[in-house]
């Protein structure tokens, strides 16, 4: 059992609060009884963390605030929200430095639980404000939680758009590569078809013609023929592998169509 997931024993809270809490925090929520207000929140979820660690905020009947692990005073909720802001800022820096679909997917995976927790946090603080007679601490915390939720949602959408763009770009590159290979194969097939009849006839009837260079200044005729063959092969390779205009156009369109970042985030 996690000690941080139960109320501190020194808190003089109504017994109904302790009876409604189990060994773990459960969902984020707010309770009210006898002028006391208890807010059950979650610490910012860490990457790969499966169980949410609870954090409790108690406002007694005198209006004084206490927390389970962030001290006391009116600033306890501000400190809690500051941890969420720091976690979102870290993911924002990772998203800005991300390159490739794997990096964006990891940012989205780490951001998803943080976005859900922030969204529920804002809803709980809104409910607490309604129960807390418009207490200024709750109003400010609610407004700050709304800004955090908006920032996390914008970051999530931007990372998802970047991931979709990276996947689409890679798919188009693969399609363009397949297109280039098919054109190269077609060019080779055309060349093979053009020379196939003469090669077949030469194979059947033979074409061992005397040209007078058999014994002339050996081995220079052979070396000249080999060099000419390599040169022609190089020219043929350059022709078959020459870039296709559509590939250049696709790359240019990718650079121009990259989605701009949201300046208002």
């Amino acid at each position: 059992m996690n000690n941080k997931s139960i109320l501190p024993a020194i808190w003089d809270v109504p017994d109904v609060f302790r009876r409604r809490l189990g060994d773990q925090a459960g969902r984020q929520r707010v309770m009210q009884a006898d002028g006391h207000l208890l807010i059950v929140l979650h610490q910012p979820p860490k990457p790969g963390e499966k169980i949410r660690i609870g954090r409790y905020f108690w406002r007694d009947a005198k209006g004084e605030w206490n927390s389970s692990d962030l001290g006391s005073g009116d600033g306890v909720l501000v400190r809690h929200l500051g941890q969420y802001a720091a976690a979102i800022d870290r993911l924002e820096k990772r998203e800005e430095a991300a390159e490739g679909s794997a990096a964006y997917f990891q940012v989205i995976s780490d951001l998803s639980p943080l976005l859900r927790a922030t969204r529920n946090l804002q809803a709980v603080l809104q409910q607490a404000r309604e129960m807390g007679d418009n207490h200024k601490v709750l109003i400010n915390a609610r407004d700050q939680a709304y800004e955090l939720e908006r920032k996390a949602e914008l970051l999530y959408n931007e990372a998802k758009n970047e991931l979709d763009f990276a996947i689409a770009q890679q798919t188009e590159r693969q399609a363009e590569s397949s297109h280039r290979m098919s054109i190269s194969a077609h060019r080779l097939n055309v060349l093979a078809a053009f020379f196939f009849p003469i090669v077949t006839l030469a194979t059947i009837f033979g074409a061992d013609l005397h040209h007078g260079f058999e014994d002339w200044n050996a081995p220079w005729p052979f070396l000249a023929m080999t060099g000419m063959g390599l040169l022609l092969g190089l020219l043929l390779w350059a022709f078959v592998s020459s870039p296709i205009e559509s590939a250049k156009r696709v790359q240019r369109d990718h650079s121009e169509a990259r989605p701009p970042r949201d300046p208002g985030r």
Side-chain angles (χ1 to χ4, degrees):
M1 183 171 62
N2 194 326
N3 292 331
K4 294 184 178 180
S5 297
I6 58 175
L7 296 180
I10 62 173
W11 281 7
D12 186 18
V13 299
D15 292 337
V16 64
F17 289 166
R18 298 187 185 276
R19 291 196 303 267
R20 292 179 60 182
L21 293 174
D23 295 336
Q24 295 181 355
R27 65 181 180 87
Q28 299 186 88
R29 57 199 186 278
V30 59
M31 308 177 192
Q32 185 182 37
D34 301 333
H36 295 257
L37 194 69
L38 180 67
I39 304 177
V40 181
L41 300 178
H42 293 163
Q43 296 184 19
K46 300 177 181 179
E49 188 177 63
K50 300 299 182 182
I51 300 177
R52 300 292 174 256
I53 301 177
R55 179 173 286 161
Y56 306 94
F57 299 87
W58 168 45
R59 198 194 72 176
D60 60 19
K62 299 179 181 179
E64 298 179 356
W65 285 91
N66 292 277
S67 68
S68 56
D69 61 347
L70 291 179
S72 60
D74 292 346
V76 291
L77 287 175
V78 175
R79 290 193 285 271
H80 176 73
L81 295 173
Q83 293 184 359
Y84 272 83
I88 295 174
D89 289 341
R90 287 193 295 269
L91 287 174
E92 184 176 14
K93 293 179 180 179
R94 285 176 51 189
E95 189 271 340
E96 292 175 353
E99 295 182 359
S101 56
Y104 286 116
F105 178 79
Q106 190 60 48
V107 171
I108 292 175
S109 299
D110 296 341
L111 181 59
S112 295
L114 186 62
L115 175 59
R116 290 193 299 269
T118 307
R119 184 173 293 139
N120 294 332
L121 168 63
Q122 193 276 335
V124 169
L125 291 179
Q126 171 62 24
Q127 184 180 2
R129 185 205 64 79
E130 296 172 356
M131 291 181 176
D133 298 329
N134 294 328
H135 196 278
K136 187 174 181 179
V137 172
L138 292 174
I139 293 176
N140 292 335
R142 186 274 317 270
D143 293 341
Q144 186 177 353
Y146 169 77
E147 293 298 328
L148 291 176
E149 178 191 359
R150 179 178 179 274
K151 186 176 182 179
E153 186 174 3
L154 289 174
L155 179 59
Y156 179 87
N157 291 336
E158 182 171 315
K160 189 175 184 303
N161 290 338
E162 290 284 356
L163 175 60
D164 293 341
F165 180 79
I167 293 176
Q169 189 178 39
Q170 184 65 24
T171 302
E172 290 185 3
R173 286 176 178 172
Q174 292 177 355
E176 188 62 32
S177 177
S178 299
H179 179 61
R180 290 198 303 269
M181 292 179 64
S182 66
I183 291 181
S184 298
H186 174 70
R187 289 172 176 174
L188 289 176
N189 289 334
V190 170
L191 291 174
F194 179 79
F195 288 104
F196 180 76
I198 190 171
V199 171
T200 302
L201 292 175
T203 301
I204 295 175
F205 297 102
D208 189 12
L209 301 178
H210 293 280
H211 43 69
F213 291 105
E214 290 86 357
D215 300 323
W216 178 79
N217 201 17
W220 293 111
F222 172 77
L223 295 177
M225 180 191 66
T226 302
M228 181 62 67
L230 292 176
L231 178 60
L232 292 176
L234 181 62
L235 294 176
L236 180 60
W237 172 83
F239 170 72
V240 173
S241 303
S242 60
I244 304 170
E245 180 62 26
S246 59
K248 297 179 180 178
R249 185 175 62 255
V250 168
Q251 293 179 358
R252 183 173 62 252
D253 293 343
H254 283 166
S255 60
E256 296 176 354
R258 188 174 182 86
R261 295 184 178 274
D262 185 0
R265 192 180 66 203

